[in-house]
Amino acid sequence: MSELIIKNGFVVDPLQGIKGDRMDIGVKDGKIVETGTLSNPKTIDAAGMTVMAGGVDVHSHVVGPKVNVGRLFRPEDKLFKSPLKSPTCSRMEMGFSVPSTFKTGYDYARMGYVFVNEAAMPPLHSPHVHEEIRDTPIIDNAAMPVFGNNWFTLEYLKNNEIENNAAYTAWLLRATRGFGIKVVNPGGSEAWGWGLNCVNIHDPVPYFDITPAEIVKGLIETNEHLGLPHSVHLHCNNLGNPGNYVDTLESLKLAEGYAPKNDFGRKQVMHITHLQFHSYGGDSWGNFESKAKDVMDYVNAHDNLTVDMGQVTLDETTTMTADGPFEHHLCSLNHLKWANVDVELETAAGVVPYIYSPKVKVCTIQWAVGLELALFSKDLMRTFITTDHPNAGPFTRYPRVITWLMSRAARDATMKTFKWLDKTIDATSIDGIDRELTLYEIAQMTRAGPAQALGISNTYGGLAPGMDADIAVYALNPENMPSDPAMIEKAFSRCAWLVKDGVVTVRDGEVVAEPAKRTVWVDVKVPENAQVQRDIYEHFLRHYSVKLDNYSLFEEHLHNPRVIEVDATE
Amino acid sequence: MPKKVENVGCPYCGVCCDDLVVTVSDDGKQIIEVENACAIGNQIFHHATGGERVKLPRLRQPDGTYKDISYDEAVDYAAKVLYNAKKPLIYGFGSTNCEGMAAAAKVAEKAGAVLDNCASICHGSSFLAIFDNGYPSCTLGETKNRADVVLYWGANPAHAHPRHMSRYSIFPRGFFTGKGQKSRKIIVIDPRHTDTAQVADIYLQVRQGHDYELFDAFRAVVRGHEIPEEVAGIKREQILEVANIMKKARFGTIFYGMGLCHSDGRNHNVDIAISLTRDLNDYTKWTIMAMRGHYNITGPGAVWSWQYGFPYCLDLTKKDIAHMNPGETSSVDLAMRDEVDAFINIGTDAGAHFPIEAVKHLRKHPWITIDPNICMASEISDLHIPVGIVGVEVPGIVYRMDNVPIQYRKVIDPPEGVISDEELFERIHKRLCELEAEGAAKAEIKAAPAGVRAEE
Amino acid sequence: MKTVILTLTNPPELMLEGQNITPDNVAGKKAAEIAALDVWEGKQKSALGTYFAVAGDGGATAAETKIILRGDCTRVKRIGQQMTAGEIVIEGNADMYIGGWMKGGKIHVKGNVDSFCGIGMEGGELVIDGNAGHHLGASPRGEWRGMQGGLIRVAGSVGNDTATFINGGTIVIGGDADIHVSTHGEGGTVIIKGNAKGRVGGQMVKGNIYVYGTIENPLPGFQMVGEVEQEVDGETATFTHYIGDLGERHPTAKGKTVYANLYTRN
Ligand code: SF4
Ligand SMILES: [Zn+2]
Ligand SMILES: [Zn+2]
């Protein structure tokens, strides 16, 4: 079968601790192999370039109902903002902040990414999610069903029935072909069913009489009881408000005392997503300020946590989250169009366009907060680059985020465009930080770290023999980095080469092949549980609007699956 | 032994009942019984195996009759029509699965066609309102479990969506609505005193075409402003009473129908209904939902949105970028303006639904109908291609009116040799690729443009 | 100023998209190069010269370029789209999107135009001697930032949905307007010298509307607050002043609520 050798590149692979050594990487039948085993490989000359594993995105909203609402209700996000179809791609590419599925796949590939974890799947809509996955070319996808406001979960955890909750969780992962436990504004989105919210972790959920804190702890216990590849993945309560870092620190503390239990090399018990939106001080928009330092001090000291940035990119974008009450709050601030979808027994979602303007003080402070999180981090294997796409900005800006992290000059140039520069500097620490991240650290944040946190680092995120042959080559010479930060952005926007599953997929920044993509899901074996079966039957009989047998994804709607098996029967 | 197929979805209206039980004859060819469906749903299944089905594509002959041809010939004909036209239009998708819609989009993009669905002459105005003002909505189970106030505006589910009221809105007992109808207030606003109005606690007979004014009045009242003594035929006291009920609801849903999106100002009626829903969320919880007609007419809006970012009226003629602007790229407007030169009618009956003037314009050019059955469109076509009936003979995903995907099943086999929409479009796509390759091979070098009179 | 004359000698079968017919695209080009500009009839991309006879070269810049269109351009869309400077004169009718997203310069249409003319306009002047269709000076679909600036003047009547989401600029209509004027407006001025059918200023936040004739169906969300004398489009008259849409949100400025203003001439 097909063989490749990627020759003479500077290899950066944090999973193996390789820090830019000049090495060759061998590829055979879609896997990485020792170069000695190759017989007649095609050669990719990577001399003077950086070789990394394909990128892994821990948190991005790319497929599913709310993403699609974002597409549908923003024709203006397409007008004069879509590129012309690339002659080397099979389909058109439409949209800027919420790209079409085709553009999503192509653009991730151009950036050298191969795996994207869809951050929130409403279980009732899983067939929709999988239809979009089918139409997202090249990249492998996983999708996390949301649990934090699910009635089954609330009922089991109220009574501290971890085993039952675990059995239900295993059932739902299978029913939706899901990947792990996502928690969005625990309790708050259920409260939103009545137009209410849970503003802190001790605020009880109406009727269900359980607090967000209890939900999060119960789900951590469930997750470790099952030994899932990924940990609980938490979007904290009270997102986006001044002073919310207090609530965030309380949420982080919920993980204290828990240790990871799994066979997948995962080291955390909780992943906290888009931390930027949760690291604010002050008590009004007037004295709004960064508390990134306080939050990262805590994260640095607790190695059972991982985080991602949720970096504001200063673009016009589309916010979308299962945090229904937050989106309503946002539309009352910016008065733009507002879509909302409450999903029976499970979750909610809202979508509102948003403009992060360099002329608005709050936006430029948010920009600084995100970067500070990364720049204050002592362990970049636990701190990942995201923009919570498309919430803080589109994923296509990752190269710019990387550039800001790697170059103080790039940060300064951006800050020069701020209308309220002095106030931004006063309210943040960004101006006092000289740290510039290295390519190794960027590789930690964009592939090795996320792969480890997701529990897939035996397959993705590294370049060890036996792993998938997903390899990105960037036109950057670590021994002679460009002095112009724009060149860094350019190199990461359009990789020189992307090999996906052993197939040359991108060349000189252009997609040249569209190899089959996969759906990655987690199948957990649990002991028979008659009570949970009964509960499921009852809720579907009385409260769902679809039949139980039509709810679970039909096999024919699952596309090119890669199943990760977990045995939790012991 | 006859076989029972359970949890079958109904391929008729947007209620998308998925609890049907269909009994199929021994040989798997006849439908014997359909349980749980309403009368219309029932009929759909029996109709499928009742009459004579067209089993082969039929091509119009010079003498005006139809002649049976093979699928290969039909695919070739369709591909050539699409390839040769300057601006072909592919319209319909009222009764197709999402797999078929995705395949059709692939064809439209390759052919450089305009791609549109029945929403264009139906709930399209809802899309325009959603573009401008958003869509605070929920799934139907939310209404069932929580709603204590339900408002039908310009909708008559008693006729158009027979099981809507019993499954989701008025009668069912949900989690927080254990008393069913007794735990709910039902309001109906409609110029006609419909059968739905019969079950209402409050009925407001709005003057035909003046819904916008009534919404405006509700909004002003909700904000505490004065309004005139009568608006759109409704007395101030009644407006105040209903506004008060809405504000005091724990959870409300506005279901609106064609009464709103087919009267004057269409999209703006929906738009201001959305504004009212937004306003009410400052006090309590309100949601709004379009009563979409066909069982999967929500589908193309979903599929084409993820593929192109637009739910309908997609002008793909540039082949490298999509453009949408209803009023220009909408099927009826295109036809009325005589802007298209080939027409594919799929899973609907443009022959019956389009204005006669539009049909006349379209008839000047090749017209292909893709439909399981004989309909007006198939009888005025140049080519009729039969396909399997989705939800009966072909499984697939459909989107219910609340955007919830429902996985439909296959109950019986299609007539022998009859293929699905999806397969048909995949084959047309393949043929188009071949034609394109041949065309590229024999393309000449372009001559210098004529008509130049340079002032040198 | 240099003049380019485009004469439609070979009309399209279906319609033509002429977004390249702007002073910006023509500037700096010889007639032969202008004739080679792309136009589209559906999927068929052709040279402008396939349909038009081209006489004259463009000026050095857009501002120094004038384009005159002759022949029946009833089926030619998008003339003057996104133009920033210079001048276009259309001697007869034209189709949709004339002056769409216009930023500067001037377009003068001596006949009628169809829908979507002047949509997304930011500046410049669009003058139409005949009637205009729907969505005159409106915002494109989904865009909440509608007309930002510039002037549109229509001597005849207009269709519905005029000035949706208007944010700035002025539209003067000599004749009547069909339903929906300045819906969702948040600025700008619309002057209707004839009658308005109804739904004038619905969901409007800010901005001004003047109606000289009658409003067949006024909205309940507008409330009379008094009489004012004002100079409008060069003449002074007394108007009855209404504020609204009271159903809509309104900002406050200096402690006072800002409403949209509707003036009807006494
Ligand atoms: S209500 Fe609609 S979907 Fe349900 S059975 Fe009747 S026709 Fe079919
Ligand atoms: Zn989130
Ligand atoms: Zn997110």
Side-chain angles (χ1 to χ4, degrees), chain A residues 59 61 119 182 235 273-274 320 388-389 391:
Chain A
H59 185 111
H61 302 267
K182 176 68 185 301
H235 158 142
T273 187
H274 45 66
M320 52 179 68
D388 188 19
H389 166 78
N391 283 295

Side-chain angles (χ1 to χ4, degrees), chain C residues 12 16 18 35 50 61 65 81 89-90 96 109 115-116 133-136 144 151 172 220 230 234:
Chain C
L16 205 61
T50 318
T61 63
T65 302
Q81 179 170 311
V89 176
I90 302 171
M96 294 173 164
V109 186
S115 301
F116 307 108
H134 309 307
H135 299 275
L136 176 78
W144 61 90
L151 171 67
V172 185
Q230 277 198 28

Side-chain angles (χ1 to χ4, degrees), chain C residues 225-257:
Chain C
V225 289
E227 271 192 11
V228 288
E229 197 180 84
Q230 277 198 28
E231 193 194 312
V232 180
D233 199 26
E235 38 174 341
T236 305
T238 42
F239 294 87
T240 307
H241 180 197
Y242 300 81
I243 55 166
D245 175 347
L246 298 179
E248 187 52 65
R249 72 177 165 92
H250 293 282
T252 47
K254 297 182 191 121
K256 280 180 85 181
T257 308

Side-chain angles (χ1 to χ4, degrees), chain A residues 113-164:
Chain A
Y113 273 69
V114 296
F115 183 99
V116 177
N117 184 27
E118 161 55 43
M121 165 161 66
L124 180 62
H125 292 260
S126 73
H128 179 168
V129 171
H130 288 280
E131 275 205 288
E132 288 200 27
I133 287 178
R134 176 200 67 206
D135 278 351
T136 307
I138 304 170
I139 51 172
D140 292 353
N141 285 117
M144 295 184 290
V146 286
F147 284 88
N149 297 279
N150 183 304
W151 290 2
F152 291 91
T153 301
L154 299 187
E155 282 164 351
Y156 291 134
L157 294 184
K158 172 161 75 180
N159 302 321
N160 220 0
E161 297 168 12
I162 298 299
E163 249 168 71
N164 287 340

Side-chain angles (χ1 to χ4, degrees), chain A residues 203-235:
Chain A
D203 200 355
V205 186
Y207 176 83
F208 288 93
D209 200 24
I210 180 174
T211 64
E214 291 162 341
I215 298 169
V216 172
K217 285 173 83 81
L219 284 169
I220 293 176
E221 286 169 33
T222 304
N223 200 92
E224 300 315 314
H225 177 92
L226 292 170
L228 300 181
H230 189 34
S231 65
V232 160
H233 190 122
L234 176 67
H235 158 142

Side-chain angles (χ1 to χ4, degrees), chain A residues 364-401:
Chain A
T364 53
I365 293 173
Q366 289 178 306
W367 173 84
V369 171
L371 294 176
E372 285 173 15
L373 293 170
L375 296 170
F376 285 137
S377 173
K378 295 219 165 85
D379 184 358
L380 293 160
M381 279 300 280
R382 297 196 287 120
T383 312
F384 314 137
I385 289 178
T386 68
T387 57
D388 188 19
H389 166 78
N391 283 295
F395 72 82
T396 43
R397 293 289 191 228
Y398 287 178
R400 188 164 294 174
V401 177

